Amino acid sequence: METIQRINHYTAYRPRPFTREERATVTILFGGLTWKHERLIQGVMHNLGYKAQPLPNITRADLDAGKELIDVGACCPTIFTTGNLANFLKSEMAALGREEVVKRYVFLTAGACGPCRFGQYHESYTMALDGLGLRDFRLFLLAQNQLDQGATHGGGLEINLPLSLGLVWAILCADVLTDLEYMTRPYEIVPGETDRVLRESIEYLYDVFRNRPQEKLRGGKLKVFAWHVLTDYFTDALRDVRKRWDAIRVDRLRVKPKVKITGEFWLQTHEGDGNYNIKRWLEQEGAEVIPPPIAVWLDYLLHSPITSEEWKGAERNRKKIALIRTLEHIYHFVYNRFRKALGNLPYELPDQEELKHLAKPYYHYELRGGEGHMLVGKALYAYRHKKAHMICELSPYSCMPNTMSIGAMANVLGRYPDLLYAPIEVKGDAEVHALSRCQMILTEAKRRAHAEFEDALAKTGLTLEAIRRYEERHPEVQRSTYRIPHYGYAGTAANYVMHLARKMR
Amino acid sequence: MRIPTLRTLFGKRASAASPPKDRSSVRVGIPKVLNIWSTHQFWVGFLTALGIAPENIVFSSDTSEEQYREYGKGRGTVDCCYPVKCMSGHYGELIFGQKKKIDVLLSPMIYSLPSFLRGHVLDTLTCTRVMAGPENIKAGFLKERDVFAENGIRYVSPFVSLGEPEKVPKQLYLALKDVLDLTEEETARAVEAGYRALEAFNQKMRQKSREILTWCARHERPCILVLARPYHMDPGIGHEIEAELQAHGFPILWMQYFPTDDDLMHWLFGEEIRAGRIKSPFDISDVWPSSYSSNTNEILWGAKVAARCPWVTCVIRFSSYECGMDQPTYTPTQKIVEASGTLYFKFGDLDATKPAGSIKIRVETIVHYVEKYSRDIIRRKLAALPPHCPLLEEAPSTSESASLAA
């Protein structure tokens, strides 16, 4: 023993336990998604008796704080999120004092992402804690692919089915609502109405999650699972939400290019300074944005083990593969129920097998890390199915996996030169450069949207005046919740013309 | 009398009717990049066992700016770290720069590695850029037209989990069966031969390192440990910085080939294992809980070794510009090494151009400190370890000692 004491070797950060008794007094901090997702997650946590609070939305000041605290060369999501935590803790320390902050808060974040350094984010967090003199602040990791991890780190947080299913259901609800938001706002007749209704809807859904019936969360795992899958509790709530959106009137004759957002998980999900507010900026520039649902990422996580099980021997692992496929079907079933409750307006989830198949000549589906083959697959999916005029891929500067698939996209563009693709490298502090790059591609996307629209008018023989007259007689078509089927055009306006032409016949 | 069944009948006939295929004239080019630097012997062993003549296994040259300018220019599809970016030059050299044309360009997508830490860490995956690099680089040779086909070359890029040997035969068979006309059985045998060749090479290198370390121990001389990724052994990537230090008389060890013999490991880590701090000498959970990445894990392990091994008085760390895998390890690695007073110097942001002037100045600084402090560092670290160092208790090899001293 004497020998070890002479040199005090370095050890990694180890948080002290967060105990069950502390649940009533300790607040779990979390972040990294959108305010909508985070508010519903908060509802889930409150429902289970946890004190929980999302970190404030990311700002440019977080980038500066992060840079000061962690090693040089980090990707911007790491810098932003580290700085975000640091700035919050600093402000709380100023208000409450260091000891209170250490006592009152713990931070929960996702970990374990295989080869990508995303799984090493916590090293940056702990470095920031060192820099702030908060080595004894508690930070815990949550595995992304295990629904039931039991009581962890002292029992303060129990990762069980009521929590995990609540989190997944909250994410799916926020996703479908986000789709609705982005397909409505560019066409709203009364400015600001979408945002207002969205806020009300999220608050309403927060209450829905906060008030999940406790008796349904007790008992066996199968019972809890079955209730979540089969209950009308969430779909009824979404139908109520839909009624609120009925009141929003839209003008779908505004010709707008559809821009599908893809990219690195954090950057594509984020809404704020972290990605230059690019989704709002695109809307201001006259585009309709297709936001990336987190549900696709969860679907990818669910689907991926099938390949490795097949490698081990499809015959030998038949039952396991069948179980995963069943879970996938249930997952899609739940998502589609939520979509249906919102009038099937939110986009359907792409078939993971199709994404794999589309990407195969360009990017191997077993290359893990980041979004793997999905970036190539999603771009081709949108192109082939005419879901969008343009792909805007958001990746952090020096993102390791995504730079590789961006490189592979050169091969895709060689074969499909008319696929409009804007890979945007985000550093966090080079807004003008990034946005102007996006704008160059957007100009062509706008031209195509207009060409499509003119084509639809020519094909149908309709005029704008005739459409306006029809809208006056049939105001329901101007509801934001009125569903326009897909007639082979990417743009909303062109499909709208085609739809009204059929209605007028 | 044994009645022949259909299976035995056809089985016998099939094996009798299939003589070994003659692949001796097939020329296979392998870009000498990324984790080929730590697995080349596997590929040599594998291909040789399949009947490819050794002289027909062609590795591209060491990386150089000239190589990229001549063969890779205009082929890049995205800006990224130099170890990946330079691959275009390697591909181009194999396609355009061979007097005797290659038939197959083999650029494996290595997903995981057969690391000596496997079983002690969460995983031994390669960097995401390392595994996906070939998909990125091939795009530069396909985006306008199929350059491989134009030059009569079959491009093949097997996805291969070298860290999981049981998967490898199937992975390589499926990827190469049409290109090399393989059977499953011979692929499996060749894979075994590949692993044997790799293991033999690694053992040989570790033995060599042990001899160097033993010499240092006997003569109370310091040595310098390099913490870097395998491709930093490439003179065009690591810029031979360690050679400049060696020229000053300091033996150089690479972490990848540090001896892992039981006696030495238990001398260095035994107390910590008994104290329950770690489970084995190769357990790095005390310093790096997210142990997914193979090369990162090994760097962290190397830092631990450096912090404990008395004659390693100095660590030099190499890192390429924009290396996202290295980035989170900078501070932990430095802290691990410096905890025992071992000297630590980092050469970061290495890129295509060799910064000869700054290397020279820094080498002089390093030499100064190593000369000044090594004696104290050795004494302090020795005092923290149990007596009876296995390196000092083995019989000296006179020839090795003489050659090292010289």
Side-chain angles (χ1 to χ4, degrees), chain A residues 3 6 9-10 12 14 71-72 112 115 117 119-120 122 311 361 363-364 366 368 397-398 400 403-404 407 414, chain B residues 77 111 128-129 132 135-136 138 143 159 170 271 277 285-286 290 292 321 324-325 327-328 330-331 336 383-384:
Chain A
T3 55
R6 286 187 203 163
H9 283 295
Y10 170 86
R14 287 273 185 281
D71 274 330
V72 69
R117 68 176 139 166
Q120 296 163 8
H122 61 95
W311 263 105
Y363 205 83
H364 199 282
E366 284 188 276
R368 300 272 189 275
Y397 169 73
S398 83
M400 293 184 304
T403 43
M404 294 301 97
Chain B
T77 53
Y111 179 68
T128 49
R129 280 186 177 169
E135 296 289 52
N136 171 21
K138 84 171 183 198
K143 61 182 175 182
F159 177 90
K170 190 175 169 187
E271 291 283 354
R277 193 174 146 179
S285 61
D286 55 330
S290 300
Y292 295 98
Y321 173 66
M325 297 310 288
Q327 183 271 329
Y330 292 150
T331 297
I336 293 166

Side-chain angles (χ1 to χ4, degrees), chain B residues 26 66 73 76 90 141 151 220 273 284 299 304 360:
Chain B
V26 178
E66 295 72 33
K73 211 170 178 185
H90 287 263
F141 292 82
N151 286 275
E220 292 186 15
I273 295 169
I284 58 167
I299 286 170
K304 284 183 68 178
K360 190 168 184 296

